[in-house]
Amino acid sequence: MIEIAVAGFGQQDIEIELNDGVLSVKGNLESKDATDYIFKGIADRAFTRNFTLSESIEVKNADLINGMLKIWLERFVPEEKKPR
């Protein structure tokens, strides 16, 4: 499992893409004026995280639960690599 804290981001603000074995998670939040806040404890800047996955790993599911993005992965063993 990959778990990323994304407090303040909604599902519409997060993009997950798997391309050529690289899992990319991008977050882009429309920022409000900094003058509206006296103190803001949660950062709302854009981010990108890339994870290189081996060929034997599949992305099963992704969910946003209470500010935590959870991406479930599953490792499978091809028939030719299983012990006999």
Side-chain angles (χ1 to χ4, degrees):
M1 179 186 308
I2 296 173
E3 195 170 54
I4 304 171
V6 291
F9 287 83
Q11 285 185 337
Q12 70 277 6
D13 303 321
I14 297 173
E15 179 183 334
I16 302 171
E17 182 179 317
L18 180 63
N19 191 10
D20 293 330
V22 177
L23 179 69
S24 297
V25 180
K26 298 176 185 174
N28 192 7
L29 189 62
E30 295 292 326
S31 182
K32 297 177 182 163
D33 285 338
T35 59
D36 292 344
Y37 300 100
I38 294 173
F39 173 76
K40 187 169 182 183
I42 297 176
D44 61 356
R45 61 185 173 270
F47 70 92
T48 300
R49 299 285 184 268
N50 293 316
F51 303 92
T52 303
L53 304 178
S54 76
E55 294 177 2
S56 63
I57 294 181
E58 290 182 349
V59 177
K60 284 299 191 184
N61 194 9
D63 204 1
L64 184 60
I65 304 169
N66 295 329
M68 296 297 291
L69 175 63
K70 295 183 180 188
I71 303 171
W72 284 271
L73 307 172
E74 183 175 328
R75 181 184 311 264
F76 67 93
V77 180
E79 288 297 324
E80 62 270 3
K81 292 190 177 184
K82 287 186 179 177
R84 295 178 188 206

